[in-house]
Amino acid sequence: MGEPIVKERPVSYSYTEQVQMVTSPDLNGYGRLFGGRLMEWIDVVAGIVARRHSGCKVTTAMVDTLCFRAPAYPNDTVVLAGKVTRVGTTSMEVCVRTMVEDLNGIKRTINKAYLVLVALDDDEKPTKVPGLILETDEDRMEWELGEKRGKLREERRKINAG
């Protein structure tokens, strides 16, 4: 592992989808998808996206935003779609959008999360990641918003350090 051989990768290179069906072990006391289970699924998808982009082991450094918009219920098909939205020297911001897919194929977003993951070398020290090739207007918009989220994360780190 160590230094990535690739200098840049497009957003589409590491795009990942995972599909789950909500079953009884996934439910909370109110009969809806347990938020903790969804967070686990989100973290797995984000980890796969970051591994694919970096070509390295990764660790989750921060769950920056996790916005629950709507519930999922038993037997719902849940689709988690993850992509890299911004990269730093050793870190990657990954967005994971969670949707419920109806039987007619229509998907509605129930959650959107941003996570920061760090690439690790064989000694589990942070290592450089490839740059990100922005392919669409949406990719460029996410990058710009990612810069703003990064500045907010830095401010929160300063506030929480004291």
Side-chain angles (χ1 to χ4, degrees):
M1 291 202 207
E3 290 288 316
I5 298 167
V6 178
K7 292 189 192 251
E8 294 182 314
R9 287 200 166 115
V11 171
S12 60
Y13 180 84
S14 57
Y15 176 84
T16 299
E17 281 191 7
Q18 179 186 63
V19 180
Q20 299 281 350
M21 178 177 271
V22 179
T23 61
S24 8
D26 305 321
L27 302 178
N28 64 21
Y30 297 103
R32 296 186 300 249
L33 176 60
F34 179 55
R37 177 74 65 177
L38 179 56
M39 289 170 62
E40 175 186 353
W41 293 345
I42 289 168
D43 193 36
V44 168
V45 170
I48 292 168
V49 169
R51 284 172 56 140
R52 285 178 169 175
H53 180 80
S54 67
C56 299
K57 296 182 284 186
V58 298
T59 189
T60 304
M62 175 183 288
V63 178
D64 185 11
T65 305
L66 188 66
C67 181
F68 293 96
R69 298 178 181 182
Y73 295 99
N75 298 316
D76 277 351
T77 300
V78 175
V79 179
L80 297 100
K83 66 179 187 174
V84 177
T85 52
R86 189 166 181 278
V87 298
T89 305
T90 62
S91 65
M92 297 153 282
E93 180 188 74
V94 175
C95 176
V96 178
R97 192 164 62 115
T98 305
M99 298 155 284
V100 168
E101 183 178 271
D102 295 330
L103 293 175
N104 61 10
I106 294 174
K107 295 176 185 151
R108 55 190 163 76
T109 300
I110 63 166
N111 188 288
K112 192 171 186 183
Y114 289 91
L115 299 87
V116 177
L117 294 95
V118 176
L120 303 174
D121 64 17
D122 290 335
D123 297 321
E124 300 212 351
K125 302 288 184 213
T127 189
K128 290 183 180 179
V129 298
L132 189 63
I133 300 169
L134 307 174
E135 301 171 289
T136 67
D137 289 340
E138 182 183 338
D139 293 346
R140 286 181 274 287
M141 182 190 70
E142 281 284 9
W143 179 277
E144 289 173 17
L145 292 172
E147 287 181 336
K148 292 177 182 176
R149 283 187 296 271
K151 288 176 184 169
L152 289 171
R153 281 191 291 269
E154 186 57 37
E155 299 225 357
R156 282 196 305 263
R157 266 194 292 272
K158 289 176 186 174
I159 290 168
N160 292 331

